[in-house]
Amino acid sequence: MRGLKLIDRFKSAQVHAFSPTDTSRAKLVDTHLTKIKSFASNLKPRNNSTTSVSEALHLPYGFPATDLIEPHLDPHLKPLDLVESLSELYQRFENCSSESQKASLCIEQYALLRGLGDHKLLRRCLRATRQHAVDVLSKVVVSAWLRFERREDELVGVSSSAVECGGFVVECPKAALANGYDSNSVFERCECGLGFGSGPYEAVNVEEEEFWVVGNENGVSFCVGNEEIKCDRFRIARLSSPFKAMLYGGFEESRKEKIDFSQNGISVVGMRAVEKYSRTKRVDFFGPEIVVELLSFANRFCCEEMKSACDFHLASLVGTIDDALILIEYGLEESADLLVASCLQVLLRKLPGCLYRPKVMRFLCSSETRERLAVLGSANSFFLYYFLSQVAMEESMVAKVTVKLLKRLGECATERWQEALASHQLGCVLLERREFMAAQHCFEDAVEAGHVYSLAGIARAKHKMGQQYSAYKMMSSVISEYKPAGWMYQERSLYNIGKEKLSDLSTATGMDPTLSFPYKYRAVAKMEEKRIREVILEIDKIIGFKLSPDCLELRAWFFIALENYENALRDIRVVLTLEPNYMFFGGKVKGDYLIEVLRRMVRQLSKADCWMCLYERWSSVDDIGSLAIIHQMLESDPGNSVLRFRQSLLLLRLNCQKAAMRSLRLARNHSSSEHEMLVYEGWILYDTGNREEALARAEKSISIQRSFEAFFLKAYVLADTNLNPKSSSCVIQLLEEALKCPSDGLRKGQALNNLGSIYVDCGNLDQAANCYKNALDIKHTRAHQGLARVYHLRNQRKAAHDEMTKLIGKAQSNASAYEKRSEYSDREMAKDDLDMATKLDPLRTYPYRYRAAVLMDDQKENEAVEELTKALNFRPDLQMLHLRAAFNDSMGDVASALRDCQAALCLDPSHRDTLDLYNRANNSVTQKQRPRNAAKENETQKDGIEKCHCWTGWMMTVVERAPSHLMITNDSSEDRYARNDQ
């Protein structure tokens, strides 16, 4: 399909200039309907046809061809062994005593984990960095970084200070500018309403000031030009050691009553201000120009207290970008750390908007600025330019400003990992800019700094310059020299042909099924061979567990080839739900235009029809279809907060966290009443870890108006703990109150499902069964899962198995159903179900853990460890790391157990089971005894495991102990609560 081109309309200079009511646009749409239909008919297989796909009527801007598509290089650090890297990082953190060094280690952890795309994990790294940041500049940068990452949950109609900090010290701009360090206060609520912060003025001692006035009668005059400024000799001497030596030492000035100060760079007004400051110890009487002069004077004569007062006062005056650009120059010139930090804070909190202001970028991107900032600390400079470069790359990978910032980042690098990161990212950017030789040099620098993955960048650059065989040899040597990984085979496939190419892609998928390129390539290859229906099956494999706009876009055009315009339109709508500004065809076509073209080919649905479709798709666990229907409904009613909230639930279930938060924020911003707004604010607070505030919002909403969502929110937040009988009773009462309030079947089904789960936890199986059956009566399909658990607890194993079979038959997204059914199957059937769950969703970790436990029971210890290792190679999961550590511990491999524990604790330092195992393993090393011969007190957990008779029995016990008010799943990585109801 090489050379396929888009509809002629997209070639014009007026790509997006047409009005929806423009008659010319309507004519073009009609024309393009015909062309798309013609395209689809030309792609149909014909028995006697010799027409190739590339000869069919062309799609806009080209349909992907196998020799043109390629995967993007990951622009983040990609260690050969992430588990080993995390373990080593945790060891360094444990042995580190410097708080500032701990902050640097947290940023290194952020860089290592960035490629995983887990936003909550990355936010935890940034919060830990802020916790250990000591100096003001580091605190300012990291607080602004956290604020930038949280920008999706901004609320309209909220005070600017609340928006800026979210109400907590960790992001508060005023707290970041406060001197001192207190790690315990970082996560407390901030005090934005109390002013700029504690400053030098508060330290003035009135009694001491009176003593100065009474206790000194000696006067001295400073002459500036023709003016004479009378001062108190003692007060001026108190300003600094140089003044004390000059006025009371052996210098000539100590005997003079008049001192000529004309050659000391101070104006008359400035000297008068110095005299007034010597009496009052305040600078807030003066205008900014005078304070700047005082700052320079204080620096020249080592007046530290005056410098601090000027620094503080000027920092409090910075309010706009223009202010910041003016004052930061003075701050850098006079080494006024607080002023520089305050100015940078204003600039950083205007990102990404200020990226487009030439003055700002000229300042930040210049080498001179970087050098002057380095004086304040190299670690601070690296934090700053790492943040700026990430924002720039997110905005545009090919912009000049991105290149400049990455060059400054490289200049700030002092450690090998920092050099590797800066060089690799700059190489990726230059590759996108088609500056292949420069990109190759950057990748070579990254490899020299120890980043093996950058060899793929060198090979890619060589390939672009026509050195395909050299690129092939390089990747082959990487595979032979290092432990093979999926990305290595994927990269080599780019320089291979025929069966060898497909073999490399198959190996890549086997090693890392999360790589999307192999699926896309195989799908396009089958498209070129006109094996249309196989194309859909191939691309569905990756979309089934990893929702990405590029794969959905590709599938949409496959559906056009099948003349299945309804599904094509569905996928385009979902892409725009994930990324509202997504541009199709390599950034050249807006999605709304494609929707306008395709909607002419499908039956138009009324509002009532849309609600019916949403109900049906929600009931059949068709999350993608549900998102598409909601997107369609929002076209005509963009301010519908109820739909936005439904959208956020679906996006959370599909693990699209940032998009979910954006929908939830829009739901709040479009709320039509205060009580509704409070509910959505409560969900935002809950999702950002602020449970108490979320509960307060729910209670306030109920006090205004009793509503389903308010009661549901309160019950949900209260259930987010290990429930005791009293709290369980309260949650049950709240859910029953929620069910009495008006709502639709979609939400009432979820409430009934949650209520059934609480009854299960309380042991009331009859009430639980009734709840689940009532939920099924209103087509809440996921209630089959809860009912199956009830049957299982009644020892009706076959009924439980049959109930899950019903769910599998009804649900389109049923990997979790296969996984859950395995609990109610015999060993062989359970294995089949878990194999199917892994096939449908290789990111689910429970099947790997269960299969590994079975192998351990069969005394196939090495195979058990390998089963977990296979998954850990592409998904470093806390539970799998903990289990592999337990396996290694039981086998006597203490070093491996410690490594896995350290890596797991790097992901979650508070994981109690891993901490216990880690401490026991450490004790074993200290006592120089093997785990199986360790002292009795170190065998407590193992004895518990042995009492279960087998590892699989232990795992099932752990699953049964899990509260059912949590989302019923074996996969701990999905421990979101029943609000998502997966």
Side-chain angles (χ1 to χ4, degrees), residues 153-170:
D153 59 311
E154 289 180 353
L155 308 176
V156 298
V158 178
S159 66
S160 59
S161 61
V163 170
E164 282 296 303
C165 68
F168 293 88
V169 171
V170 70

Side-chain angles (χ1 to χ4, degrees), residues 449-707:
H451 193 230
V452 175
Y453 177 66
S454 293
L455 288 166
I458 298 175
R460 198 76 71 92
K462 287 186 173 183
H463 174 58
K464 296 294 186 182
M465 293 186 290
Q467 304 171 31
Q468 182 164 341
Y469 182 62
S470 177
Y472 172 80
K473 284 202 306 180
M474 174 169 284
M475 292 314 303
S476 294
S477 67
V478 171
I479 291 172
S480 61
E481 186 175 349
Y482 301 98
K483 180 183 177 182
W487 65 263
M488 298 178 184
Y489 287 94
Q490 175 179 273
E491 287 299 316
R492 191 174 72 172
S493 73
L494 300 177
Y495 322 120
N496 229 326
I497 58 174
K499 292 182 179 179
E500 289 79 8
K501 188 182 192 80
L502 292 175
S503 176
D504 277 349
L505 290 172
S506 178
T507 304
T509 299
M511 289 186 166
D512 186 353
T514 65
L515 295 171
S516 60
F517 174 73
Y519 301 95
K520 292 164 68 176
Y521 180 89
R522 288 189 290 261
V524 173
K526 290 172 182 177
M527 186 71 168
E528 292 178 339
E529 297 170 5
K530 296 189 178 180
R531 295 154 57 187
I532 305 295
R533 302 194 183 278
E534 293 180 41
V535 170
I536 301 298
L537 294 176
E538 183 65 36
I539 200 66
D540 277 351
K541 292 177 184 177
I542 183 73
I543 292 176
F545 67 89
K546 185 180 179 182
L547 206 61
S548 63
D550 58 329
C551 291
L552 285 167
E553 178 188 5
L554 188 59
R555 190 173 71 171
W557 293 111
F558 291 153
F559 278 125
I560 289 176
L562 285 170
E563 298 184 24
N564 190 338
Y565 304 119
E566 185 173 346
N567 280 342
L569 188 57
R570 174 202 64 192
D571 285 347
I572 292 171
R573 289 187 182 281
V574 176
V575 170
L576 295 177
T577 299
L578 297 175
E579 296 186 22
N581 298 319
Y582 187 86
M583 298 289 288
F584 292 77
F585 300 109
K588 298 179 177 68
V589 184
K590 293 184 72 173
D592 63 346
Y593 180 79
L594 296 179
I595 289 176
E596 186 176 353
V597 171
L598 289 174
R599 70 191 307 170
R600 300 285 192 91
M601 304 184 189
V602 300
R603 182 175 68 88
Q604 299 300 304
L605 300 178
S606 65
K607 185 175 181 179
D609 291 335
C610 286
W611 273 108
M612 289 299 296
C613 286
L614 178 60
Y615 199 101
E616 291 170 3
R617 294 184 184 186
W618 194 292
S619 299
S620 62
V621 199
D622 179 9
D623 297 328
I624 291 178
S626 299
L627 279 177
I629 288 293
I630 289 177
H631 184 273
Q632 181 176 350
M633 296 167 76
L634 286 170
E635 281 184 335
S636 58
D637 189 8
N640 192 318
S641 57
V642 173
L643 289 175
R644 294 285 182 189
F645 180 59
R646 299 292 192 277
Q647 192 178 62
S648 73
L649 297 177
L650 290 163
L651 288 166
L652 273 179
R653 193 152 61 218
L654 291 165
N655 202 31
C656 303
Q657 298 171 9
K658 293 188 79 171
M661 189 59 73
R662 181 176 60 244
S663 296
L664 193 51
R665 185 241 308 167
L666 289 172
R668 183 271 180 201
N669 291 346
H670 286 108
S671 299
S672 58
S673 61
E674 183 181 1
H675 74 87
E676 184 183 24
M677 179 185 67
L678 287 167
V679 169
Y680 299 139
E681 282 185 12
W683 284 121
I684 290 172
L685 288 164
Y686 175 82
D687 285 341
T688 51
N690 305 311
R691 293 183 178 86
E692 293 169 354
E693 290 77 8
L695 189 61
R697 292 293 198 283
E699 290 171 345
K700 186 174 181 181
S701 179
I702 292 171
S703 68
I704 297 173
Q705 180 172 322
R706 296 164 58 87
S707 69

